[in-house]
């Protein structure tokens, strides 16, 4: 059974940093793509990043480029999202999800496995 568990969310001030973790069990990250997503109240879920199943390419959404970085922890079978220079507009529930490929948000929702999400709140 595939399980994804996010952790590391919390409250941070404008300009601060947080590190989210997504620990994965039941599948190998070597053969699956893994994405980070977020959903703010009243807004659609959007992709923050997606790391390909070969783990050699990571896509970042324009609104996080230069601020967020994805890294992998082989010991924990986890993927971390380092978030720097946080802004109030980054406030959302952050989710990780796996699928075979880095496709669209819709494909992840339909075919992927998701964690329960972790709340990130950035105060101004």
């Amino acid at each position: 059974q595939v399980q994804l568990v996010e952790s590391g969310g919390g409250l941070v001030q404008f300009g601060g940093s947080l590190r989210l973790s997504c620990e994965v069990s039941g599948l190998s990250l070597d053969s699956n793509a893994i994405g980070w997503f977020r959903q703010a109240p009243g807004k659609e879920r959007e992709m923050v990043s997606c790391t390909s199943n070969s783990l050699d390419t990571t896509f970042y959404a324009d609104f996080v480029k230069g601020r967020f970085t994805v890294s992998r922890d082989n010991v924990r079978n986890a993927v971390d999202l380092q978030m720097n220079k946080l802004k109030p507009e980054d406030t959302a529930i952050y989710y990780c999800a796996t699928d075979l490929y880095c496709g669209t948000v819709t494909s992840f929702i339909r075919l992927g496995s998701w964690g329960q999400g972790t709340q990130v709140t950035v105060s101004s």
Side-chain angles (χ1 to χ4, degrees):
Q1 183 178 359
V2 178
Q3 281 193 312
L4 293 86
V5 179
E6 302 96 336
S7 61
L11 174 64
V12 65
Q13 290 187 332
F14 176 81
S17 298
L18 281 174
R19 188 177 184 89
L20 306 184
S21 289
C22 174
E23 297 198 9
V24 182
S25 59
L27 61 80
S28 170
L29 293 177
D30 287 336
S31 55
N32 289 269
I34 185 159
W36 281 99
F37 302 81
R38 69 186 188 185
Q39 189 164 17
K43 294 189 177 181
E44 293 188 351
R45 193 165 299 188
E46 58 186 359
M47 184 180 289
V48 173
S49 69
C50 191
T51 301
S52 68
N53 51 7
S54 63
L55 296 179
D56 62 357
T57 304
T58 297
F59 156 84
Y60 294 97
D62 286 343
F63 52 80
V64 302
K65 280 182 181 177
R67 301 189 299 125
F68 291 11
T69 304
V70 170
S71 62
R72 179 184 178 187
D73 186 324
N74 291 329
V75 174
R76 295 186 292 120
N77 201 42
V79 176
D80 296 338
L81 181 67
Q82 177 66 41
M83 306 188 296
N84 298 327
K85 301 178 182 178
L86 284 162
K87 307 173 183 179
E89 50 263 46
D90 294 319
T91 295
I93 299 175
Y94 282 70
Y95 302 87
C96 60
T98 65
D99 199 355
L100 288 178
Y101 305 102
C102 282
T104 63
V105 176
T106 300
S107 66
F108 269 89
I109 290 173
R110 289 179 177 175
L111 303 174
S113 299
W114 289 78
Q116 81 289 349
T118 186
Q119 177 71 48
V120 171
T121 303
V122 184
S123 63
S124 56

